[in-house]
Amino acid sequence: MEGPVHSMPWDELAARVGQEIGVSGWITVTQAMIDAFANVTDDHYFLHVDPVRAAMPPFGGTLAHGFLTLSLLAAMGYRVCPYVEGARYPLNYGFDRVRFVSPVPSGSRIRGRFVLRRAECIGADQRQVVYGVTVEREGSDRPALVAE
């Protein structure tokens, strides 16, 4: 996995609240990824892993787990969101809001669009950065996922 695209001083990042920080590259969600995720999470629901049964209307094929799509935000954000200069150990604190808006069929390409919502000092040596992210599916007008 590639590292962050760039780093910047805290003050410079904090000044960009409300702005789009970047858009990740496309990630193709393959059936092999879906199957591997099913095995790791023990979620073998037929809509994810059985192409014959999942081909029935209304879906027409297998779909990625919503949590697989969510998990890909780490890779997307790591490639797009800047590293804060001087940070000792950045951590993912979690999500405040997640919505799975539309399905991600196997073979789809998705990407993350990141907007800086908040940049706060929460202690003498702690900072918290909150991004709004929309996961777009190529060829779809509706996002696959929105999160903060």
Side-chain angles (χ1 to χ4, degrees), residues 54-127:
M56 299 180 304
F59 298 110
T62 57
L63 306 175
H65 303 74
F67 285 111
L68 169 57
T69 305
L70 180 67
S71 73
L72 292 172
L73 287 180
M76 293 174 191
Y78 191 67
R79 293 179 181 128
V80 172
C81 300
Y83 184 83
V84 177
E85 291 176 5
R88 288 182 294 164
Y89 49 91
L91 300 172
N92 182 339
Y93 189 63
F95 295 92
D96 295 328
R97 180 177 169 86
V98 175
R99 294 291 178 262
F100 303 111
V101 180
S102 66
V104 176
S106 177
S108 295
R109 290 184 357 134
I110 59 174
R111 66 181 180 185
R113 184 174 300 276
F114 293 80
V115 174
L116 181 60
R117 297 278 187 236
R118 293 191 309 274
E120 303 167 335
C121 294
I122 58 171
D125 62 350
Q126 290 183 311
R127 306 291 183 265

Side-chain angles (χ1 to χ4, degrees), residues 123-135:
D125 62 350
Q126 290 183 311
R127 306 291 183 265
Q128 185 174 40
V129 179
V130 177
Y131 292 97
V133 63
T134 302
V135 174

Side-chain angles (χ1 to χ4, degrees), residues 19 35 48 57 95 106 124:
Q19 297 178 23
D35 292 341
H48 305 304
F95 295 92
S106 177

Side-chain angles (χ1 to χ4, degrees), residues 4 13 22 24-25 41 44 47 49 69 78 88 90 129 137:
L13 179 62
S24 74
T41 60
H44 297 278
L47 280 177
V49 298
T69 305
Y78 191 67
R88 288 182 294 164
V129 179
R137 183 169 59 88

